[in-house]
Amino acid sequence: MSLKCRLLMLAGLAAFNGLSAQVKTDTGKCIMVFGAHADDVDEIAGGTLAKYVAMGYTAVYVCMVKNLDGCSLERTPWFDEGPDFTVSGSPMKYRVEALETIQIREEEAKAAAAVYPAIPVFMDFREPTLYIGRSIFFYGSEEYNRYNPPGGRTVALATMGENEDVDVVYDLLKEYKPEIVITHTLGGEKMDHGNAAYLVYIAFKQAMANGVPVGKLWMPVNGWLLDEDAQASGKGKPDVRIDISQYLETKYKALNMHISQNGGLGRNYLMSEGVPLNEQVEEFITVIDNTN
C-alpha cells in the first residue's frame, strides 16, 4: 500500500473511532460505496448500504473529493425550503470559504457514516471550484492557484493515467476486497461524478488484473443512461434491483446529517431537485461481474 493511501486509511479509521465493534463482520464480506462528494454515498446507495450492513457486511463509505464548495451559512444552499443554518434568521446565503467547507462537510460525512454504521474514508482529490468571500473561482484561474487549496489533482486529471492516483483507489480495493462496489455512472450527470466513476472503474480493472478478489461493480442509471436511445436499446436498463423498503429510515437519517447541503431535510431536498423517487427500490447496472 502506498504511503499516501496508508495515511488516508489511518485518517478514516481514526474518524471511525470506536464504531468498528458495532459493524457486523460475521460474513467476512464487504460492500464499498464511492461518492464524489460528501453526501453522494447516501444519495446513490444509502438504502443498499444499510441493507447489506444488516446482512453482516462490513461497509466502507468513501468520499473521493476534498469538498471546497457547497457549504453556506445562514440558509441551506440550493434548497429554498431549508431551515436557517444559524440563529440570525437572515434570508441571504453567505458562502463558507474552502478550508471551513472541508471541515464542515467531513464532519457531516462522518456522522452519516456512523448511522449505518460504516467506515468513513476521505480521499484527497480537489474540487474544481471554490469560494473566496462571495466570489466563485474555477480550477486553473489565477485566484484558485493563488489560494492553493489543500489536496491533490482534481478527479478529472486523476483519470489521465497517473499511476499514483489510480493506486490510491486500487490500494483501498486491495485492502478490503469488496464483494460489491458501487459508484456514480460513467458519463454521469455531473463532471465530478462521471470522472470519479471512471477512476473507480480503472482501479477496479487494475485490481482484477492483479488477482485481487473484487466482486461486482455497480452504477446507478443516470446521466446518458437515461437518454431515449440508451433506454430503447436496453443499455440503460438496470439489472440489479435492491428492495430497501425496510431501510428508508436509515438512508434518510444518514442523508439528513449533511445539514450544510439540505438543512437536515434530505428527502424533501431530493424531491425539490426534481429527482424521481422510487423509494422502495435502488436500481443499478452491473458494469463488471468478476464473480463468474
Side-chain angles (χ1 to χ4, degrees), residues 6 41 65 71 83 124 131-132 157 159 170 184 196 240 260 270 291:
R6 189 175 297 278
V41 168
V65 170
C71 183
D124 202 37
Y131 268 79
I132 303 175
L157 294 177
T159 63
Y170 166 75
H184 298 282
V240 178
S260 73
L270 290 179
T291 62

Side-chain angles (χ1 to χ4, degrees), residues 221 224-226 229-238 285:
V221 180
W224 68 272
L225 293 174
L226 293 173
D229 289 345
Q231 291 291 307
S233 68
K235 293 180 179 179
K237 298 294 185 182
I285 290 178

Side-chain angles (χ1 to χ4, degrees), residues 39-289:
D39 56 337
D40 287 336
V41 168
D42 312 288
E43 286 196 26
I44 65 177
T48 299
L49 195 62
K51 183 169 186 172
Y52 275 83
V53 168
M55 292 165 57
Y57 281 61
T58 295
V60 184
Y61 184 114
V62 186
C63 301
M64 300 184 71
V65 170
K66 187 178 286 294
N67 293 271
L68 304 172
D69 185 11
C71 183
S72 294
L73 295 176
E74 308 304 337
R75 288 197 64 79
T76 305
W78 323 121
F79 186 35
D80 291 336
E81 297 179 7
D84 295 338
F85 196 54
T86 68
V87 297
S88 74
S90 171
M92 302 297 292
K93 298 176 184 177
Y94 305 103
R95 293 285 186 174
V96 178
E97 291 195 0
L99 295 181
E100 290 76 14
T101 294
I102 292 171
Q103 296 168 354
I104 291 170
R105 297 198 68 184
E106 281 197 7
E107 289 303 315
E108 291 173 344
K110 291 174 188 175
V115 169
Y116 295 102
I119 301 171
V121 175
F122 299 96
M123 293 189 163
D124 202 37
F125 301 107
R126 281 180 180 174
E127 198 158 26
T129 57
L130 59 79
Y131 268 79
I132 303 175
R134 304 286 181 87
S135 301
I136 187 171
F137 297 104
F138 293 86
Y139 179 84
S141 68
E142 180 181 347
E143 292 82 2
Y144 190 105
N145 293 337
R146 188 185 306 122
Y147 192 93
N148 191 26
R153 280 180 277 263
T154 66
V155 175
L157 294 177
T159 63
M160 297 179 66
E162 294 289 345
N163 289 335
E164 64 186 69
D165 292 320
V166 177
D167 283 347
V168 171
V169 182
Y170 166 75
D171 287 343
L172 193 58
L173 296 172
K174 185 177 179 181
E175 174 74 14
Y176 286 99
K177 303 174 179 62
E179 180 182 275
I180 298 170
V181 174
I182 304 174
T183 189
H184 298 282
T185 306
L186 293 169
E189 80 287 3
K190 294 181 180 179
M191 180 180 67
D192 283 348
H193 291 187
N195 288 327
Y198 186 51
L199 184 56
V200 174
Y201 172 82
I202 294 171
F204 196 98
K205 295 283 285 186
Q206 179 175 318
M208 291 173 57
N210 291 333
V212 177
V214 290
K216 299 179 180 181
L217 176 60
W218 295 348
M219 296 181 183
V221 180
N222 214 328
W224 68 272
L225 293 174
L226 293 173
D227 291 348
E228 185 176 342
D229 289 345
Q231 291 291 307
S233 68
K235 293 180 179 179
K237 298 294 185 182
D239 63 319
V240 178
R241 295 173 178 83
I242 307 296
D243 180 354
I244 62 167
S245 56
Q246 297 182 46
Y247 304 96
L248 285 172
E249 181 178 353
T250 302
K251 174 177 180 174
Y252 286 126
K253 182 177 180 182
L255 189 59
N256 291 350
M257 295 298 173
H258 302 279
I259 297 174
S260 73
Q261 296 300 288
N262 57 48
L265 299 171
R267 180 179 182 276
N268 290 342
Y269 170 72
L270 290 179
M271 294 179 70
S272 74
E273 292 291 292
V275 177
L277 293 180
N278 179 356
E279 294 187 283
Q280 305 302 311
V281 177
E282 287 178 344
E283 298 180 330
F284 307 97
I285 290 178
T286 303
V287 177
I288 301 176
D289 185 349

